[in-house]
Amino acid sequence: MTTQPLILWFENASREHVSLAGGKGANLGEIYRRVASLNVRATNGFIVTTAAWHAFLDANAGLREKIVAHLSHIDFEKPETLQTYSSYIWNDLANGAVPPEVVRAIEEAYDALGAFYNLPYVDVAVRSSAAQEDSHSASFAGQHKTYLNIRGKHSVIEHVHQCFASFFTERAISYRHEKNLLAFPDDGIAVLVQKMVRSDKAASGVAFSHEPLTQAPYLVSIQGAWGLGEAIVSGSMTPDSFTVMKSPQAGKCLVIQDKTLGSKLRKIVYDYRDRGSVRELPTSDNERSSFCLSDDEVRDLASAIIAIERYYGYPVDVEWAKDGDGAEIGTGKLFIVQVRPATSLRDPLRIESVRVARGHQPSVLLSAMSASPGAAAGKAHFIESPHELHVFKRGGVLLARKTDPDWLPAMRIASAVVTDEGGKTSHAAIVARELGIPCIVGAGNATRALDGRDITVDCNHGEKGLVYDGLIPLEKDDIDLRPTIEQKKKLITRVMFILGDPLSAQLFHFYPNDGIGLARLEFILENLVQIHPRIAVGEKISELSGEERRRLAALAAGYPNVREYFIEKLTDGIAHLAAAVHPSPVIVRFSDFKSNEYRGLLGGRLFEPEEENPMLGFRGASRYYDASYRNAFQLECEAVCRARNDRGFENVVVMVPFCRTVEEARLVSQEMESGGLKRGDNGLISYMMVEIPSNVLLLERFAEYFDGFSIGSNDLTQLTLGVDRDSGALARVGDERNDAVRMLIKLAIKKARALGKPIGLCGQAPSNFPEYADFLVECGITSISVMPDAIPQTIANVLKAEERVGRAKPTPREWR
């Protein structure tokens, strides 16, 4: 007779009880106590422990020996043996008898749970919980059985018995083999019996305490849909997606960075015709067009997930449910129903990826949500059901409407996976990340459009996955950042990013860096906002075409007005960049579109002049105080204020581009102050771009209005040499290594250092030319900013330069 308890209540379970409660049970017991004070809670329940499993084996003479014998006959190179002998094991387990002491313990616990909720026949979920399950290295996603809508003592015992049998299903045996785990684990399996949350009358979903694709630690990713959560886990439909940004300061309101309406074509609900069963129903038009969670509920859920992550000390994967039955729990309440460590986390310091070879511009067949990074090429093959997996060829691209654990054999030999339905937390997405193959989900009609074609799947663009026509050549990147990190520790010169696309920041957040030295606001305008700033302040809206008005209405949908849409989207972009490098600075350059580029924004044709040479036209600082544009510039100031003050990103530094005269510096400073951006207030730092010879010659006078400088080598080169840098015919002339350009750069650095103010340079030359790094270091440059992929080479070049020429550490004031 075992001395271990057969039943363990959630309130008594913790991470120390993994061998007794299994991975799910240990985690859920821990959370049951920990989230009690939050707006999101966990429902009560009990665990039929691994001691009950061992009692079951002991009560059925010879059962262990039969299982071991069957396992010994399995040859994983011959799938038919796995199918045959796993079915034998299932039959032996299913025909075994649950011992009386286990039956009594389950009956007493079920009655106690009913009394807790004052429900004599409480509805429960019965879930398998193996000791190896929900660990850091193995999720066992869907490998063991879960049963929903179970009521009554006899039904609970029956389904606990089936969970025991599911310990040796074909897919569970295969998964343990894949993960190099014991075929017959010593600890065994436990079973959770948990009060059901009536999410079939509301919504449910999955969430990660980090962004699952890029592993960005500053983002919470939430997926949700109507009905029970099995539809999301299986990937049988495309859910709503919410991305929430964590604030660096306690007490700041969590911000929903992005939300995307999923198709949510179907939902899973209780089947009252067959107790213990569920069924799929089509969703209504209203359900498809509505988000399954309110903004407040998204923030409450994100707060709970952040608290759970903080308690555990590592990223977590959470299943949640919303109650739709006020009679049982409380209308509208959110509940945590499962917690596990996030699996398939890549080593962020070792980048092994496959990408499309440089120089190719392939034709895009479709674009959808990327769920696992990388690239692969092969013949696309649509598989209708797991029964057809035997015809799938190794190296092909697997097309499916959705996947579940039965699809694992095909996924293991696929080069990539593309599904019609599903989100970033679907089965296809989770398993693809574990297998390290690219995956696109929620592609709509991929199975029809791509079947039989030679295609290339490219998931190296953040959240956007692309499918190209044909077999495009691929290249492998194998970068180990550890040596770069060690080199970085020895540097005096700061090495920073040049970034503009907020979504790209997620891909590089773990690169060694000292922040973002140049964040181009115009990139955010172009990619996220898409409308001309003067439209946002209400000018000439009546002159927009019908199509332009429809597009504007679609962009601003869900916002109080167009102005608020503009400011919030701009704030989102700035905050995204600031979060990626916090607490290091992000130097946000105010918009520096040229007039021809502004014309490309929605409504731009109504405001922008046709200029002969836009490079020398109405751009940069000259716009900000101009009567025609100053109201639009105030929107940029407001966005910076919100990012710094409301969202807590005080690491945002502002920078003024293309400031032609000292008088312009004064006027722009006044405009900034009127927009709430006064130097020194709340630690605000203001920089100026040095990209015009006048900036260098009069740098001491410009310094009255700015705390630091950044050399824009491209513009400084064109204006020193009289070259239009857009002219291909003059590309050979416009070289920043020219002696005249170098003299101006050297002079600017000398003046800034004499003033005790930091001065950096933005450009690829220090990465491409080691001698240029020597030159800058010898001059005393404070920082160098390059594109993210050039960071390792730049650090190497700058370190060698510092070792060759020697370098005195700047004063603390110069580091500001």
Side-chain angles (χ1 to χ4, degrees):
M1 182 72 67
T2 179
T3 58
Q4 296 282 13
L6 299 174
I7 299 295
L8 187 66
W9 286 89
F10 286 178
E11 64 184 356
N12 298 320
S14 71
R15 285 182 286 179
E16 298 176 356
H17 296 105
V18 171
S19 62
L20 188 63
K24 277 194 184 82
N27 285 323
L28 196 54
E30 195 82 48
I31 294 307
Y32 180 74
R33 301 191 308 276
R34 299 294 171 182
V35 300
S37 62
L38 301 174
N39 291 334
V40 181
R41 296 175 292 164
T43 54
N44 198 7
F46 58 89
I47 302 155
V48 182
T49 69
T50 55
W53 157 255
H54 288 294
F56 168 71
L57 292 179
D58 293 340
N60 293 273
L63 184 55
R64 280 191 176 88
E65 291 74 15
K66 286 182 181 180
I67 295 171
V68 171
H70 291 319
L71 289 171
S72 70
H73 288 98
I74 294 174
D75 182 348
F76 289 95
E77 297 300 318
K78 298 177 180 179
E80 64 274 11
T81 65
L82 173 61
Q83 184 177 16
T84 298
Y85 288 100
S86 66
S87 66
Y88 291 165
I89 297 173
W90 172 272
N91 288 332
D92 290 340
L93 288 167
N95 290 327
V98 179
E101 68 270 22
V102 174
V103 170
R104 285 194 300 273
I106 294 173
E107 288 178 337
E108 290 172 1
Y110 180 77
D111 286 341
L113 184 63
F116 181 88
Y117 283 106
N118 196 28
L119 292 167
Y121 296 101
V122 60
D123 294 333
V124 294
V126 180
R127 303 174 183 268
S128 304
S129 177
Q132 298 163 316
E133 196 168 356
D134 288 356
S135 65
H136 285 281
S137 59
S139 67
F140 278 85
Q143 304 301 324
H144 303 130
K145 289 291 186 180
T146 288
Y147 299 96
L148 306 176
N149 185 21
I150 307 302
R151 178 183 290 186
K153 288 181 283 191
H154 297 302
S155 184
V156 170
I157 293 166
E158 174 190 345
H159 288 92
V160 167
H161 189 181
Q162 292 188 43
C163 285
F164 284 169
S166 76
F167 197 40
F168 288 101
T169 59
E170 178 181 346
R171 61 200 191 190
I173 295 170
S174 177
Y175 188 85
R176 280 195 287 270
H177 174 74
E178 183 75 25
K179 291 291 184 179
N180 294 315
L181 301 172
L182 290 174
F184 195 153
D186 296 331
D187 288 332
I189 191 168
V191 182
L192 304 182
V193 180
Q194 182 182 16
K195 169 69 179 71
M196 281 286 292
V197 176
R198 291 305 305 271
S199 58
D200 65 312
K201 295 183 177 182
S204 58
V206 182
F208 288 88
S209 64
H210 67 297
E211 205 290 318
L213 177 61
T214 63
Q215 298 178 195
Y218 53 91
L219 298 174
V220 176
S221 178
I222 298 171
Q223 313 266 302
W226 304 112
L228 300 174
E230 303 308 304
I232 292 180
V233 175
S234 69
S236 62
M237 55 78 209
T238 303
D240 296 336
S241 296
F242 309 88
T243 302
V244 181
M245 182 178 294
K246 301 173 184 175
S247 174
Q249 295 184 28
K252 296 290 183 182
C253 180
L254 291 175
V255 175
I256 301 173
Q257 179 72 19
D258 180 66
K259 57 182 183 180
T260 303
L261 192 68
S263 57
K264 307 188 300 294
L265 298 178
R266 304 185 69 77
K267 64 180 179 180
I268 297 178
V269 299
Y270 277 19
D271 188 347
Y272 289 103
R273 301 168 301 182
D274 181 12
R275 174 59 65 179
S277 297
V278 295
R279 59 175 174 154
E280 279 196 12
L281 295 176
T283 49
S284 66
D285 290 342
N286 182 58
E287 287 173 321
R288 295 175 191 178
S289 61
S290 302
F291 285 103
C292 65
L293 291 173
S294 70
D295 287 356
D296 285 342
E297 288 170 336
V298 170
R299 282 187 281 265
D300 283 346
L301 188 56
S303 294
I305 293 164
I306 292 168
I308 293 170
E309 178 189 49
R310 190 177 298 123
Y311 171 70
Y312 273 89
Y314 49 73
V316 292
D317 169 357
V318 171
E319 291 184 22
W320 60 270
K322 179 180 176 181
D323 174 48
D325 192 344
E328 295 187 13
I329 300 176
T331 303
K333 296 292 177 65
L334 290 168
F335 292 85
I336 301 296
V337 295
Q338 189 169 317
V339 176
R340 62 170 73 93
T343 57
S344 67
L345 294 178
R346 306 180 308 281
D347 180 353
L349 304 181
R350 183 69 182 267
I351 305 165
E352 296 179 350
S353 65
V354 178
R355 56 177 172 76
V356 171
R358 292 179 176 87
H360 290 268
Q361 295 182 325
S363 173
V364 177
L365 295 176
L366 66 82
S367 171
M369 182 184 293
S370 173
S372 181
K379 184 172 288 294
H381 192 163
F382 170 43
I383 300 296
E384 182 79 32
S385 77
H387 302 297
E388 301 175 2
L389 296 182
H390 64 281
V391 302
F392 184 76
K393 300 291 192 300
R394 181 178 295 274
V397 176
L398 177 63
L399 304 180
R401 292 193 178 93
K402 64 171 185 174
T403 69
D404 60 38
D406 291 330
W407 293 72
L408 187 57
M411 295 181 72
R412 278 203 299 263
I413 62 173
S415 62
V417 177
V418 181
T419 65
D420 286 349
E421 298 292 343
K424 287 187 288 188
T425 53
S426 64
H427 175 270
I430 292 172
V431 173
R433 288 194 290 270
E434 286 194 8
L435 294 175
I437 59 175
C439 177
I440 292 175
V441 294
N445 65 341
T447 52
R448 295 193 304 273
L450 303 178
D451 189 29
R453 302 184 67 153
D454 286 337
I455 62 171
T456 300
V457 177
D458 185 0
C459 293
N460 291 319
H461 304 277
E463 295 189 346
K464 181 186 292 185
L466 302 173
V467 176
Y468 304 130
D469 188 17
L471 305 178
I472 311 301
L474 302 174
E475 295 177 348
K476 185 176 181 180
D477 277 334
D478 189 354
I479 302 172
D480 188 350
L481 291 175
R482 289 177 181 83
T484 300
I485 290 174
E486 292 305 310
Q487 291 175 332
K488 177 79 172 54
K489 292 176 181 177
K490 303 174 184 178
L491 284 187
I492 294 172
T493 309
R494 287 182 170 186
V495 176
M496 308 175 80
F497 287 143
I498 296 175
L499 275 177
D501 179 11
L503 297 182
S504 294
Q506 297 179 41
L507 301 173
F508 303 106
H509 66 87
F510 49 83
Y511 270 60
N513 68 88
D514 291 303
I516 299 175
L518 175 60
R520 300 181 176 109
L521 208 61
E522 62 269 15
F523 276 37
I524 303 175
L525 281 172
E526 183 176 33
N527 296 323
L528 293 185
V529 183
Q530 300 178 33
I531 68 172
H532 194 281
R534 291 178 66 178
I535 290 291
V537 295
E539 296 183 46
K540 298 188 179 182
I541 291 181
S542 63
E543 298 180 36
L544 294 174
S545 68
E547 175 57 32
E548 287 173 326
R549 282 196 293 272
R550 283 189 290 273
R551 185 180 163 205
L552 180 62
L555 287 170
Y559 292 85
N561 50 57
V562 176
R563 184 181 189 278
E564 190 63 19
Y565 159 77
F566 186 100
I567 295 173
E568 274 298 290
K569 294 296 280 188
L570 205 54
T571 304
D572 288 345
I574 294 169
H576 219 313
L577 293 170
V581 297
H582 189 272
S584 296
V586 52
I587 302 175
V588 176
R589 187 181 73 182
F590 290 118
S591 61
D592 191 26
F593 273 141
K594 272 63 75 179
S595 55
N596 58 322
E597 294 167 334
Y598 270 114
R599 288 181 66 85
L601 297 174
L602 192 153
R605 62 181 179 83
L606 301 174
F607 305 102
E608 297 302 326
E610 294 279 1
E611 295 185 301
E612 289 294 329
N613 189 346
M615 280 287 184
L616 300 180
F618 190 39
R619 60 174 288 200
S622 301
R623 280 183 176 257
Y624 307 153
Y625 61 89
D626 188 88
S628 67
Y629 196 82
R630 61 158 51 102
N631 289 338
F633 177 64
Q634 290 300 311
L635 302 181
E636 297 184 27
C637 295
E638 174 66 18
V640 171
C641 284
R642 291 189 187 184
R644 285 179 51 81
N645 304 330
D646 298 347
R647 310 224 181 152
F649 291 104
E650 295 178 0
N651 59 323
V652 173
V653 176
V654 293
M655 183 159 66
V656 176
F658 222 75
C659 189
R660 293 172 166 95
T661 68
V662 175
E663 176 63 9
E664 282 198 329
R666 184 184 67 82
L667 292 171
V668 170
S669 295
Q670 287 180 352
E671 291 296 327
M672 289 167 57
E673 285 193 22
S674 65
L677 297 177
K678 183 178 181 180
R679 287 171 61 201
D681 282 4
N682 197 23
L684 177 67
I685 296 171
S686 177
Y687 273 44
M688 185 190 81
M689 291 288 290
V690 175
E691 49 197 339
I692 307 170
S694 62
N695 299 151
V696 179
L697 297 173
L698 301 177
L699 190 132
E700 295 90 347
R701 292 171 61 186
F702 281 107
E704 296 176 28
Y705 301 98
F706 301 102
D707 302 297
F709 302 95
S710 179
I711 300 168
S713 58
N714 288 336
D715 271 328
L716 186 60
T717 299
Q718 78 163 342
L719 295 175
T720 301
L721 301 178
V723 173
D724 183 346
R725 62 186 174 99
D726 281 348
S727 172
L730 296 174
R732 65 186 185 279
V733 179
D735 190 333
E736 58 200 293
R737 292 173 293 173
N738 180 277
D739 285 345
V741 180
R742 287 159 61 103
M743 287 178 67
L744 284 173
I745 290 174
K746 184 175 182 178
L747 180 58
I749 296 172
K750 180 180 179 181
K751 288 187 173 188
R753 291 295 299 269
L755 292 166
K757 297 201 174 188
I759 182 165
L761 180 135
C762 300
Q764 298 298 96
S767 171
N768 297 336
F769 310 112
E771 68 274 14
Y772 209 81
D774 286 353
F775 161 68
L776 292 173
V777 170
E778 190 171 18
C779 290
I781 199 77
T782 305
S783 65
I784 292 172
S785 300
V786 294
M787 300 299 289
D789 60 357
I791 287 281
Q793 187 60 57
T794 303
I795 288 174
N797 288 349
V798 172
L799 179 60
K800 290 177 182 177
E802 289 185 349
E803 291 172 346
R804 280 194 293 265
V805 305
R807 177 72 192 269
K809 190 170 183 178
T811 65
R813 186 180 178 191
E814 289 175 308
W815 278 113
R816 186 180 180 188

